[in-house]
Amino acid sequence: MSTADVAIVGTGPNGLAAGVVLARAGLRVELHEAAESIGGGLRTASLFDSGVVHDLCSAVHPMAAASPFFRAFDLPARGVELLQPEIGYAHPLDGGRAALAYRSLAKTCEHLGADGPGWRRLMGPLLQRSEEVVDLVLSGPRTLPRTSAAALLLASRAAVHGSGLGAALFRGEEAPALLTGVAAHAVGKLPSLASAGVAMLLGHLAHGTGWPLPRGGSGRIAQALAEDITAHGGVFHTGHHVTDLAELRGARAVLLDTSPKGLLALAGGRLPRAYARGLERFRYGPGAAKVDFLVSGPIPWADPAVGRAGTVHLGGTHAEMVRQETANARGVRTGEPFVLVVDPAVADPGRALPGKRPVWAYAHVPNGDPTDPYDLVRARIERYAPGFGDTVVAHRSVAAAAYEAYNPNYVGGDIGSGAMTLYQSIARPLPRLDPYRTPLPGVFLCSSSTPPGPSVHGMSGYLAALSALRHCFGICEVPDLAPDSAPLAFRHPR
């Protein structure tokens, strides 16, 4: 039985964001984590050498740099340094070519040659209204956009690039590949309206707030959130696997940073049948298969400029990626999957030691795929960086089927906690005016399975916490998240 006002199950970025908001509202908050360490997708650990750390899930954080929650929380003021590589993301092609998304929009357009003006027309207006665009995409379903301009910009571009017509607007291979590689972050069928929306959002951010890496690894973000929670009286219970909501009796509000599958398990038949059936129909997307490498030196990319990029997309041409991702979404495994690669020391040299350098990579594979991804990922990198295999000192691979053991929210290896279809982008996990509030009194869902969906932005936890404040405590005031602000005054009932 809980003696807290609020019990939170799961300490991923959304559980932690919810904890920050609720603790700053003056409530007694307890967070329960099944693993021995907090963080979920924000864990960083030494895998092969005590002096070299690897990010176990997320590594690059465009949304942490841009989201309303983290803007208010102010990561830099809390000692989290977001390091910006010169090139946000790169996309190698055969023949030693590469498309490069520089932080500078002008330099990116110059590098794209004849397609530079088209890239400027696509990204420039989004960049001019970047904060409005981000706030629109990351707002809750009850929030109206500040203006219609951002919505029109996104909708018009998503309609073109989500229909398959977008690639025809470019002359060469580089620009379509550069954009499609970003669209593939939606981890689903290409093209689609949902993937086009992701491409517009993440694509323009590369030229704005950037695609940064936290100095010292992603765990630094989780640490900053946890420190704020404990500073406001919150308590963490790690190594504690909550298996039934009955364990949390006594808490006036319970927030679950879990997938719908996790909510069904914790509720144990208490949910109304119609709501439970809706959760059972919730679709999970393709899986991620992860490989962590320890290498002896920088990746020997055929185009050396790729070595200045924080993130590298390996998928070949636009047409190749469309085939790969569409087959993957249908559950068909391909021999050349889409692969993301991050060499953290490009932006954070302190992450490397002489002869020892971390490299992060994952491949898109069918949900639940049990295949060890090492050979696939190594070969994919070798195609664009001949000799890479000779630099590998050690590796650890995790099949998609095993990723769920690392984090139960990653059902079948789906690190987005739900397929990013257009419908599930809007109605997540079910079509409800308040998707965070479940039919069980005082029980809320706050994971990436709720709007606005996956990525490290904290907004699902933030919005769920505001819903809990309104419905369970009658608090409509939004706590100030700035580092030196005072918590709300809350009188505990006798």
Side-chain angles (χ1 to χ4, degrees), residues 31 39 63 238 285 337 383 469:
L31 298 95
M63 300 313 300
T238 56
R383 176 174 169 179
L469 285 176

Side-chain angles (χ1 to χ4, degrees), residues 85-90 100 301 305-312 341-343 346-347:
E86 177 192 1
I87 299 170
Y89 60 96
L100 307 171
W301 299 109
V306 176
R308 305 202 305 274
T311 301
V312 181
V341 178
V342 176
D343 180 352
V346 167

Side-chain angles (χ1 to χ4, degrees), residues 405-431:
Y406 162 72
N407 188 332
N409 286 5
Y410 301 160
V411 178
D414 175 8
I415 59 176
S417 294
M420 281 299 291
T421 62
L422 180 62
Y423 177 77
Q424 283 198 173
S425 299
I426 300 168
R428 194 175 178 90
L430 296 175

